[in-house]
Amino acid sequence: MKNKSDILSTLWIFVTLNYLYCDLIGLMDSSLLKQYLTGNVEGFKIDESFLLYAGILMEIPIAMIILSKILQKNTNCWANIIAGSIKTIVMIMTLFVGSFTKYYLFFACIEISTTIFIVWFSIEWLNQKVDREQR
């Protein structure tokens, strides 16, 4: 069986690539690109503070790639449960703000499913008895 921390790290890589590619596709959407150029997208002012908060939110899955590999089991599980829950809640909330496109909904479903799985997987691992191979 694969190391659970490796699986979690790989899941964070997968979901991070989905976040990034969805954002990249959004820049190819001419109606959104026009809004980005004005600094106002779907009623949100895209300023330095907004970009800082967006950066902090993106740093969560990026940091979890390495943290999932280096943290000890209990800390690892809790970090994944918390990070996965935050990202799941934020993604669900984005579906209720402004309008969204078909491609955004497609990626959101993948991202939400993945972070829910990360939370579930971490809870299951946390509830397992200590196994030397599983850290």
Side-chain angles (χ1 to χ4, degrees), residues 27-40:
L27 293 174
M28 292 184 245
D29 183 330
S30 62
S31 65
L32 281 178
L33 182 57
K34 290 174 188 171
Q35 291 180 61
Y36 281 118
L37 294 174
T38 68
N40 194 317

Side-chain angles (χ1 to χ4, degrees), residues 8-24 55 57-66 68 83 87 91 107 110-112 114-115 118:
L8 286 165
S9 181
T10 303
L11 287 166
W12 283 111
I13 292 168
F14 173 78
V15 76
T16 299
L17 289 172
N18 276 274
Y19 292 135
L20 294 173
Y21 199 71
C22 184
D23 289 346
L24 177 64
L57 271 176
M58 249 340 265
E59 190 59 36
I60 293 171
I62 293 168
M64 289 310 299
I65 294 168
I66 189 71
S68 293
K87 292 303 290 184
M91 281 307 302
F107 280 104
I110 292 170
E111 294 158 6
I112 291 166
T114 303
T115 53
I118 287 169

